[in-house]
Amino acid sequence: MAEARPIAFVGARLVDPASGYDGPGAVITAGGAIAEVVQRPALEGLSPDIELVDCGGAMLAPGLVDIRVKTGEPGAETKETLKSAARAAVAGGVTSIVVQPDTEPVVDEPSVVDFILRRARDLGLSKVYPAGAATKGLAGAEMAEIGLMREAGCLYVTDVDRPIVNSQVMRRAMTYARGFGVPFAHRPADPSLAGRSNANESEFAGRLGLVAGPAIAERIMLERDLALAELTRAKLIVDQLSTADALESLKRAKAKGLDVHATVSINHLSFNELDIGDYRTFYKLVPPLRGEDDRQALIEALASGLIDVVVSAHAPAPAEDKRLPFDEAAPGAVGLETLLPALLSLHHERRAPLVDLIAAVTLKPAQLLGLDAGALKIGAPADLVLCDIGAPVRIDADKLISKSKNSPFDGRSLQGKVMMTLVDGRVVFDART
Amino acid sequence: MARNPLGIDDVRARTFPFPARHFTSAADLDRDALAALLDLADGFVALNRQKAKKLDLLKGRTLMNLFFENSTRTQSSFELAGKRLGADVVNMSPRASSMSKGETLIDTAVTLNAMRPDLLVVRHSASGAASLLAQKVGCSVINAGDGQHEHPTQALLDALSMRRAFGQVEGLVVAICGDVLHSRVARSNVLMLQTLGARVRLVGPATLMPVGAERWGVDVFHDLRRGVADVDVVMMLRLQLERMTGALVPSTREYFRFYGLDREKLAHAKPGVRVMHPGPMNRGVEIDSDVADDLGISLIQDQVEMGVAVRMAVLASLAARLDND
């Protein structure tokens, strides 16, 4: 790939979670890295061969790091390929994605990790990192080759949407992962309670006659996971918390000083169960959308820092898997292209400071997984997003870049237009032209 | 209640365009529309008791019965209703098990739509299936049962049975008893009975009661005797026998002991109480034969008769709307 030309971004609103700075500034990129960061709008004495970008007050921030992205590659390329996901990512200002191991074949041994890394390397779009399975075939019985996958380049292990029921398997896998310094992500849901539920157990689901599971299934499993984190001293990433109840458990564990971190999906910050309305399957998610009280509690937990990271939970599902009766439809929503504007809603609604919201999709996930990303500092890779955070955007699912169009934001008006995305100093997305 | 026999012209005069293109929920109808529909159905009851039952209100129209779930009585009821109104009736029963269920529904919808039916009656095991289908086809869709969601024509026939037995539904106290959790009949009845001004109670073991049911505007009871105390109507629900194996209730005999309707428990209800059941009954599980077969108490046979009449009313009314479109 060609060496990136130096670019000077002037007149920006710099948002840098690493320093906590949110104010006027300018950035120069050179040689794929950040060469200069100043906290004033203009730069003097620029060399004429530097391309000048006048940001006009738009936000310049580190590119987003989305640690929970599903594609269909390998195995279900009609849903999404690594390439289409990476294109969608950069269109949404996301410069690093961590792809989930529930592919066909499952990413449970190093050759599949290697396959994904090789496929992604040549794309020249967002950076792509694999997560590995915690257990072979995601079956929850035997440990996957965690050490070898780590060596091949996987960032963390997870069984994705399948909770590991057997506590002994869970304990050993967590212990083993800790020995290799591999973070362990787990979505807490007691399957015997959650069953094959598709919806949150509530008055609403009862009226619709949907197969529903109680919110408490999340807390019950989370309590076990937190106890095992205490026992094993593993680094636990609690995947996609969705209930207010579970936040209490998380708070206690963090107060104890456990190495525990939590994510929330942008969908659970944006919607509640009532959005399902007349069986709209684009709102069928795992975990299911909960009540408004839960959504409000999640927003507060994000604002307070109890929840560390926001993920898109990008899960492409083609129309034929969604245009079914609710109980039979595939769960999940695409989200790479809407993550940033949807998150900015919380800024516009004054629910949290902008720099904190940006930290939850940049610095914090990068730190969690040990990536050199998420900070506007000299020498760091020039992974950047330029976003006009006030600009109105109307989400039209048909115009999404993702191969699957299952966006719950379809038809919604948001604010925040991604103008440019840079990866290692190269312009990989440019909406200005 | 005895009514004067109606002529075909009377029925024709009562036919009015249905307020919506589809009939997927009991909530689709307001009180006035319900009253008009029940009046029309009353007319069909009278007509059905005559020798010459056949009308031509649906002449040239095609009615398709699309039943993904087995049903003898609902399907034949719709079939008879369609034929008595002069429609061409086609029955289709795709076997959901032999194909991927989802493909079946949507593919079938597209295929059927191409055959240009006018009225599509659908039963499917998934909640929301009828409403999904309604979005995909050009004809009128009638929900004949979608999963655990609704079965609006059942609620309509129940309302007609009650109105004929008591003169009016308003002010009646109705106890719906049994497996409310899995019952689409219960959900549709709650909506429709409330629209008509009845007071509804839900009675059943706590494991078979939907979460949040107490916020449906009903009174919830877990004791059958207390639940039926001073009610006008006891509506028993069918208990699926496969749900009786210890998962939700411990055993058939325990269920019958606490929730099976017999004369002793029924004695707590108002004098003149009537008993209903959507069928098919599990005798000795949710209802004692002694009660079910007592024609002085049971409305169960009336319900079947009313079923054909209300379906004729719905079909005629939907067709009148199609004529106007």
Side-chain angles (χ1 to χ4, degrees), chain A residues 126-150:
Chain A
S126 73
K127 294 170 180 172
V128 178
Y129 304 97
T135 67
K136 282 177 188 156
L138 307 169
E142 296 169 61
M143 221 185 287
E145 291 174 327
I146 294 173
L148 288 174
M149 287 194 292
R150 174 58 146 190

Side-chain angles (χ1 to χ4, degrees), chain A residues 6 16 22 47 82-83 87 96 124 137 147 150 176 190 244 258 390 413:
Chain A
D16 178 27
D22 177 359
S47 148
L82 289 167
K83 184 174 182 178
R87 284 183 61 219
S96 295
R150 174 58 146 190
Y176 192 80
D190 180 342
L258 304 186
S413 295

